[in-house]
Amino acid sequence: RVWSLDAGFEGQTFAQGVSEDVRSFASCLTLPYCGINSGFEATRWLDDSATVLSTALIPLRAGEDTDAFGLLVLGSPDPTRYTADMGTEFLTRIGEVASAGLSRLRAAA
């Protein structure tokens, strides 16, 4: 999901229902979170969210901006798919590429 978008995108699924808590959480992430799904609000955005046992949460940022403008959520029914001790370099790169592509949807400052 993404937020602070240009008005033309407000009705899109990817721009719906993002609480201030999720926005704050995403901005606090310095690296992707990988681990057990502890009932994160963002995992409820996924289809069949009740089956998600492990998750990767990847903040989306524009350049060096510290505030996230989105959160990429990956979930798995496998409890060991995303773990706290796994490397996050690839997930970080996915976040950078997704951020670059999606940042053009943001509202003009």
Side-chain angles (χ1 to χ4, degrees):
R1 300 260 171 114
V2 290
W3 47 87
S4 301
L5 297 179
D6 189 78
F9 299 104
E10 60 194 22
Q12 300 296 319
T13 307
F14 58 81
Q16 299 299 306
V18 180
S19 72
E20 193 58 40
D21 286 343
V22 170
R23 293 175 191 214
S24 178
F25 175 75
S27 290
C28 288
L29 290 174
T30 57
L31 295 170
Y33 166 85
C34 296
I36 209 78
N37 178 12
S38 299
F40 292 109
E41 177 183 339
T43 59
R44 292 193 297 262
W45 302 340
L46 301 172
D47 293 338
D48 296 328
S49 61
T51 66
V52 175
L53 298 179
S54 66
T55 187
L57 304 172
I58 306 165
L60 303 177
R61 291 187 171 84
E64 299 298 317
D65 194 356
T66 57
D67 290 333
F69 70 89
L71 186 65
L72 180 60
V73 180
L74 306 175
S76 175
D78 178 355
T80 62
R81 174 66 183 102
Y82 300 110
T83 62
D85 62 346
M86 70 185 296
T88 59
E89 295 84 11
F90 183 67
L91 294 174
T92 297
R93 184 69 180 136
I94 289 172
E96 291 168 353
V97 172
S99 293
L102 294 170
S103 65
R104 67 182 179 81
L105 304 179
R106 297 177 67 211

